[in-house]
Amino acid sequence: MLSNTARRLVRGWTLLVLLFLYAPLLLVVINAFNSSRTFAFPPTGWTLRWWSDAWNSHGMWQSLANSAMVGLGATAVALVLGTMAAVAVQRYDFFGKHVVSLLVVLPITLPGIVTGIALNATFTSALGVSLGLATVIIGHATFCIVIVFNNTQARLRRMGSDLEDASADLGASPWQTFRYVTFPMMRGSLVAGAVLAFALSFDEIVVTTFTAGPAVQTLPIWIFGNLFRPNQAPVINVVAAALTIVAIIPVWLAQRFGGDPAVSRF
Amino acid sequence: MAWLVIAYLGSLAVLLVSAFWSTDAFTGAVVHSFTFDNIVRVATDELFRTAAVRTVSVALAVTVICAVLAVPLAFYMAKVASPRVRLALVVAVTTPLWASYLVKAYAWRMLLSPEGPLVWATDYTPGYGLTATIVTLTYLWLPYMVLPVFAAFARVPDSLLDASADLGASDWSTLRMVLAPLVFPGIAAGSIFTFSLSLGDYIAVTIVGGKTQLLGNIIYGQLVTANNQPLAAALSIIPLLAIVAYLLAMRRTGALESI
């Protein structure tokens, strides 16, 4: 179907949307080498000086380490709990099962600020816990679990339960069946879920703001805190460009190992 | 499992309950006594009402613009492009999702600045304000709309379109009567993301919004600057209700199954 004019129109539209998607990212990378401090466009000169400034920024490394720790912690919690939830929902019948599969979607559909305030109220007013890295990890785990759960559940549904039934018939205990049959088959979706969960946690700022307290800074919090300080702008530009370039890594991983984790979220 | 329920639903319950608490006017400490004051204030205060309406309007505008941008793109990806180009386009649309949220909002701050590339190229910039906020939010959430719409287009078999054409339908009729009903759940699924993500956002509006106040900023201000946690909780019930209402409306389209 479709006339040639219509084809040309949608192709032109596609190119425009791609330009819309990539022009800002390109600008970020260009500005990291812009020698002017005010970043007037077009740049009048080029420099690598900001890159060495950023490399020597103590706050950047400190917050980067915190972000890595939170990301790894939240991903680990999410892998264990998300997988357990997915197996439970897919393979067993229990009271309230349908409610569970609806409820776990809530953390990604509710605005971060609602989740953030809810957790903040719980930690400070209700439980009296002091905010720190641990509370950030718990906060991030709420939405990381959903990612792992969704990935794993979709895979379990496609796998069917024939092989697991066969394993049980042949005398394997439930743990053996999980260890030798179920787990190897869903390893791919676990990796995809983990990569996506880590990426979301690494980038998260709203829930972090409300669960971190004043002492702990993750990388996004650090960037946000320095965003409006003119003398920090060059360093922020470099970190922004570096993050943009690093963003290619998960895409490359996905291409290499098959199945785009970002797409598998839908 | 129990952990999930306790951590998340428990928190939401605390949120709802704390909306009925009050703060001691003198010390600012949260007082656990039951009161409707916060709810009444949220419902009657002119400032809050304007911000709520503005926030929902922004979220709706972002959703509509995302859909308008995404539908032809998704159609091209699924039905016109060759398999090679299609794969490349899927990668091209998803890659920005991996780039940092803050970096993307910051990119728009640079792009729209008075000495920025947009002024250099076109001699025009909307400046920092409501327009900039809508553009930036659209940019941030566009991939979340493209992917489910693309998936919906891809699920429509080509033979169906051929059959429609063979039966004498024009391109326009096929689009309206065959494609549109089949693709609508995908748009609805995408709109859940664009709507709810825009509704709670306060970072992008801080970066490019100038003096614009959305609900998120006000809630943040009440919690952090004014230190009035119960009022912040009462305010955050507004986006909560808006999302639940939106989810319920979208459930009828079958969109929840496509998330």
Side-chain angles (χ1 to χ4, degrees):
Chain A
M1 70 165 243
L2 221 60
S3 64
N4 277 329
T5 331
R7 271 166 197 275
R8 228 170 287 138
L9 275 176
V10 283
R11 187 178 302 134
W13 190 262
T14 302
L15 289 175
L16 281 180
V17 176
L18 285 182
L19 180 72
F20 175 65
L21 279 177
Y22 280 93
L25 294 179
L26 191 67
L27 175 68
V28 167
V29 176
I30 290 175
N31 259 354
F33 301 97
N34 190 337
S35 62
S36 127
R37 261 182 181 277
T38 57
F39 302 103
F41 203 85
T44 44
W46 307 97
T47 178
L48 282 173
R49 207 184 111 205
W50 313 132
W51 286 79
S52 70
D53 282 6
W55 186 262
N56 293 321
S57 160
H58 177 72
M60 192 273 288
W61 289 112
Q62 182 66 44
S63 55
L64 182 65
N66 279 340
S67 273
M69 226 138 70
V70 168
L72 291 176
T75 307
V77 172
L79 275 179
V80 175
L81 293 174
T83 311
M84 271 162 48
V87 171
V89 166
Q90 272 303 311
R91 294 292 184 257
Y92 300 99
D93 265 317
F94 56 90
F95 177 73
K97 173 173 156 168
H98 295 286
V99 185
V100 169
S101 50
L102 190 77
L103 280 183
V104 284
V105 195
L106 266 185
I108 52 167
T109 45
L110 282 186
I113 193 161
V114 174
T115 311
I117 293 194
L119 288 171
N120 181 284
T122 307
F123 288 139
T124 55
S125 316
L127 296 179
V129 188
S130 60
L131 301 177
L133 266 188
T135 49
V136 181
I137 293 179
I138 295 175
H140 285 196
T142 55
F143 56 83
C144 289
I145 286 175
V146 183
I147 304 302
V148 174
F149 175 86
N150 274 359
N151 269 291
T152 318
Q153 204 206 16
R155 174 65 63 94
L156 284 171
R157 198 185 298 144
R158 258 176 283 138
M159 263 164 30
S161 58
D162 291 353
L163 285 172
E164 291 165 10
D165 292 343
S167 162
D169 288 347
L170 290 166
S173 69
W175 169 246
Q176 284 174 316
T177 303
F178 180 80
R179 170 73 186 78
Y180 295 108
V181 179
T182 316
F183 180 72
M185 285 198 294
M186 59 185 201
R187 198 180 289 148
S189 71
L190 285 180
V191 172
V195 171
L196 189 55
F198 183 85
L200 282 180
S201 161
F202 197 76
D203 193 30
E204 219 288 332
I205 175 159
V206 179
V207 174
T208 319
T209 309
F210 291 105
T211 50
V216 173
Q217 281 200 322
T218 61
L219 192 60
I221 301 270
W222 181 80
I223 295 178
F224 191 58
N226 286 295
L227 211 52
F228 303 105
R229 295 186 191 159
N231 62 337
Q232 281 282 21
V235 173
I236 294 297
N237 279 342
V238 169
V239 176
L243 282 177
T244 308
I245 296 165
V246 167
I248 298 169
I249 293 177
V251 180
W252 174 79
L253 275 177
Q255 289 299 302
R256 203 158 155 210
F257 295 106
D260 193 325
V263 176
S264 66
R265 178 164 168 184
F266 294 95
Chain B
M1 292 303 287
W3 191 91
L4 243 179
V5 175
I6 292 167
Y8 200 73
L9 289 183
S11 311
L12 282 182
V14 171
L15 176 72
L16 291 178
V17 172
S18 68
F20 295 98
W21 290 340
S22 54
T23 50
D24 190 301
F26 196 60
T27 62
V30 174
V31 180
H32 295 207
S33 61
F34 191 82
T35 168
F36 276 110
D37 290 358
N38 298 311
I39 305 289
V40 170
R41 216 181 131 190
V42 166
T44 52
D45 195 312
E46 190 63 34
L47 176 75
F48 295 154
R49 196 156 355 124
T50 336
V53 171
R54 191 187 294 134
T55 308
V56 173
S57 313
V58 165
L60 287 175
V62 169
T63 301
V64 170
I65 300 173
C66 278
V68 170
L69 289 176
V71 168
L73 170 68
F75 176 75
Y76 181 79
M77 286 162 73
K79 291 294 168 210
V80 182
S82 65
R84 260 180 93 90
V85 176
R86 179 179 312 148
L87 182 69
L89 283 173
V90 171
V91 173
V93 169
T94 47
T95 304
L97 280 179
W98 295 102
S100 161
Y101 164 96
L102 269 180
V103 169
K104 286 184 279 189
Y106 181 52
W108 279 96
R109 191 180 165 83
M110 298 198 283
L111 202 60
L112 299 176
S113 78
E115 296 181 310
L118 195 66
V119 172
W120 171 70
T122 64
D123 242 352
Y124 166 79
T125 173
Y128 303 135
L130 203 58
T131 316
T133 308
I134 294 177
V135 171
T136 306
L137 289 175
T138 303
Y139 177 78
L140 285 166
W141 314 135
L142 181 61
Y144 290 93
M145 179 64 92
V146 175
L147 292 176
V149 178
F150 163 70
F153 271 119
R155 272 196 297 268
V156 179
D158 287 339
S159 54
L160 216 58
L161 305 181
D162 292 338
S164 168
D166 288 348
L167 290 167
S170 67
D171 281 357
W172 175 242
S173 310
T174 307
L175 189 67
R176 197 165 56 87
M177 294 193 285
V178 180
L179 270 175
L182 289 170
V183 170
F184 186 72
I187 299 176
S191 78
I192 292 174
F193 285 106
T194 55
F195 184 77
S196 70
L197 289 169
S198 310
L199 205 57
D201 187 276
Y202 71 91
I203 306 282
V205 67
T206 314
I207 296 176
V208 298
K211 290 195 173 69
T212 312
Q213 288 268 321
L214 296 185
L215 263 184
N217 311 85
I218 294 181
I219 297 175
Y220 182 82
Q222 286 301 333
L223 188 72
V224 177
T225 320
N227 201 17
N228 191 341
Q229 197 267 331
L231 187 60
L235 279 168
S236 63
I237 291 177
I238 303 176
L240 191 65
L241 284 181
I243 298 287
V244 171
Y246 199 77
L247 281 178
L248 287 177
M250 287 301 132
R251 191 167 70 170
R252 299 174 56 183
T253 65
L256 291 189
E257 281 76 39
S258 353
I259 289 180

